[in-house]
Amino acid sequence: MSESVFLERIERVADALTRSGADAMIVTPSTDFAYLTGARPSLRERLIALGITADGRVRAVAPVFELDAMQPVIDIGIDVIAWSDGDDPAAMLIEGLGLGSRQRVAIGADVPMRFTLEFNRHSDIAWVPADEVLVPLRVRKSSTELALLRGAASAVDETYRRFLATTEFRGRTELAVQDDLREYLQATGHDLSGSFSIVAAGSNAAMPHHSPGARVLEEGMGVLTDFGGPREGYCSDMTRTWSLGPASARLREVHAVVLEANRAGFAAVRPGVTAESIDAVVRGVIERAGFGEYFTHRTGHGIGLDVHEAPYLVAGDTTVLEEGMAFSIEPGIYIPGELGVRIEDIVAVTADGAECLNNADRSLIEV
C-alpha cells in the first residue's frame, strides 16, 4: 500500500482520539501496528511502540539494532527514536509525545502488561482501550483491502480443489493429511507462519477446533477441514465437510441443514441490519431442524489483517453492518461421539447486499 494510505489512517486515528476524549494512543507490534504503518516488527522483550496524539504528533521507539524492521515506519516520515540497552524507552516515548500526568491514553489490546507498567512508572496515565478508536477504522475495508481479501479467498478455494484432487486419504492419519493441506496452502501463496489447518475425521469432527492426531481416515467417514491464513497480509478462512467414500444418510441429513443455514445467513446480509441478526437467522434454521443444541459457537467473525476480528456474528453484537465489512458465515452442527459438519465462507457487505468471496464447492463431495 502507498505511503498516503498509512498517513491517512494515522490522521483518522488522531481525529478519533479527539472525538473519544483521549489524549493519545500507544500500540506495540501487532496487526494494529501493521495497519497504521505497514511494518511488522517482532514483539520481543525490548520495547517497540508507536504513539499518536490527538493533536497529530506521531513518534515511535525501537532498539537501535532493530531499526531495519522499522524501515516502513521511517519511510512514511515518522520519527523513530532509537534506544540502546540502559536507556528508558518508555520515558523517551512519553517525552516525544509530550504526555503529562493524568492524561487519557488509549492502549492497544496487544500491548504486554510489562510495557504498560513501564509507562506507568513515568506518568500517571489513565488507560482506556484502543478498540474504541481502532475497531471503527479497521472494520470497514477499503477497496484495496477487499481486493486482497478476494485474492486470499480465491487462493484458499484453489487450495481445497488441489487438496481433494491429488491427496491420498485412505489409510493415512489426520496429521499426515494435515501436512499435505499445509503444503497446498503454501503453494497458493499463504504464509505458513500464520496459517492454520484442521483435519477432523469421523466423530473427531464433533469438536469444532479439533487438534489433528493419529486417527486413520477410513471409508465412510465424514471429514471436516478448516484452513486458511495470511496471504499478502490479509487472511483467508474456509471450512468444508466432505466424505471419504459414500456418505451415510445421517451425514447427508446434517450437511443439508448446515448448507441451508449457510445460504440463509448469506441471503440476510445487507447494510443496516445488525451482526446479531445474522446469527439469529442462521441459528433459526438449525433450531427448526431440531439440531439447535448442537450449534455451539457464534455464526461468524470479522476478518482482515487478523483471521478473527470485529464484527462478531453472535447474540449481543449490535454492530450495524455497513458496506465494506467482511466476516465469516460458518454454521455448524456437532453431535458428540458421532459427527460434525461446518460450512464456512467469507462474505463482504456491498451497497445492496453481500458478496461471497469463497466459491469452492460446498456440496457433500464423496472422495
Side-chain angles (χ1 to χ4, degrees), residues 263-327:
R263 289 171 170 166
F266 174 72
V269 175
R270 61 186 182 277
V273 303
T274 62
E276 67 177 358
S277 73
I278 309 302
D279 178 78
V281 168
V282 171
R283 203 166 296 278
V285 171
I286 293 175
E287 288 174 347
R288 286 191 295 274
F291 294 103
E293 66 181 296
Y294 302 118
F295 183 17
T296 55
H297 56 71
R298 64 194 175 205
T299 288
H301 55 80
I303 193 167
L305 288 167
D306 287 310
V307 73
H308 287 186
E309 57 183 53
Y312 296 97
L313 276 57
V314 66
D317 190 332
T318 58
T319 300
V320 176
L321 301 188
E322 301 178 45
E323 183 179 2
M325 291 183 177
F327 44 80

Side-chain angles (χ1 to χ4, degrees), residues 88-107:
D88 189 337
M92 294 164 77
L93 183 59
I94 288 171
E95 181 180 353
L97 293 173
L99 295 179
S101 62
R102 294 184 296 280
Q103 290 192 286
R104 297 179 76 246
V105 178
I107 188 165

Side-chain angles (χ1 to χ4, degrees), residues 23-313:
D23 299 293
M25 182 184 75
I26 293 174
V27 296
T28 51
S30 59
T31 52
D32 289 333
F33 197 103
Y35 179 79
L36 294 169
T37 67
R40 292 177 176 270
S42 298
L43 178 62
R44 299 192 176 100
E45 75 273 16
R46 293 179 174 88
L47 179 64
I48 295 176
L50 173 73
I52 303 170
T53 66
D55 61 9
R57 188 176 303 184
V58 187
R59 298 288 187 276
V61 293
V64 66
F65 48 82
E66 294 189 31
L67 287 180
D68 58 342
M70 298 291 283
Q71 194 58 50
V73 183
I74 297 168
D75 289 344
I76 62 175
I78 294 175
D79 182 13
V80 177
I81 304 167
W83 62 274
S84 301
D85 287 349
D87 291 338
D88 189 337
M92 294 164 77
L93 183 59
I94 288 171
E95 181 180 353
L97 293 173
L99 295 179
S101 62
R102 294 184 296 280
Q103 290 192 286
R104 297 179 76 246
V105 178
I107 188 165
D110 296 310
V111 177
M113 178 59 71
R114 66 180 183 277
F115 293 145
T116 306
L117 294 174
E118 284 297 306
F119 287 117
N120 278 343
R121 287 198 305 111
H122 300 285
S123 183
D124 182 19
I125 292 172
W127 297 107
V128 295
D131 280 358
E132 64 185 67
V133 173
L134 287 170
V135 168
L137 302 184
R138 288 184 56 179
V139 75
R140 288 191 65 181
K141 273 54 181 182
S142 67
S143 60
T144 301
E145 290 179 293
L146 287 172
L148 289 166
L149 285 170
R150 288 189 192 98
S154 179
V156 87
D157 285 348
E158 177 62 12
T159 298
Y160 184 58
R161 188 194 67 78
R162 295 185 191 181
F163 173 68
L164 288 189
T166 63
T167 303
E168 178 56 54
F169 297 110
R170 288 165 175 80
R172 301 179 69 214
T173 66
E174 294 171 333
L175 279 172
V177 171
Q178 181 190 43
D179 286 342
D180 289 350
L181 182 52
R182 286 176 55 80
E183 288 183 10
Y184 291 120
L185 282 169
Q186 185 173 38
T188 55
H190 287 83
D191 176 3
L192 279 188
S193 66
S195 294
F196 58 91
S197 54
I198 296 172
V199 177
S203 60
N204 284 348
M207 179 60 66
H209 285 177
H210 170 68
S211 296
R215 169 163 287 187
V216 174
L217 277 66
E218 299 175 354
E219 196 78 5
M221 281 184 170
V223 184
L224 185 154
T225 46
D226 182 344
F227 49 98
R231 181 182 181 274
E232 298 182 5
Y234 281 73
C235 293
S236 66
D237 188 7
M238 187 176 79
T239 306
R240 295 290 186 264
T241 305
W242 45 278
S243 178
L244 190 59
S248 68
R250 178 68 157 171
L251 182 59
R252 287 185 175 281
E253 176 193 14
V254 173
H255 188 278
V257 173
V258 174
L259 182 57
E260 181 186 353
N262 173 281
R263 289 171 170 166
F266 174 72
V269 175
R270 61 186 182 277
V273 303
T274 62
E276 67 177 358
S277 73
I278 309 302
D279 178 78
V281 168
V282 171
R283 203 166 296 278
V285 171
I286 293 175
E287 288 174 347
R288 286 191 295 274
F291 294 103
E293 66 181 296
Y294 302 118
F295 183 17
T296 55
H297 56 71
R298 64 194 175 205
T299 288
H301 55 80
I303 193 167
L305 288 167
D306 287 310
V307 73
H308 287 186
E309 57 183 53
Y312 296 97
L313 276 57

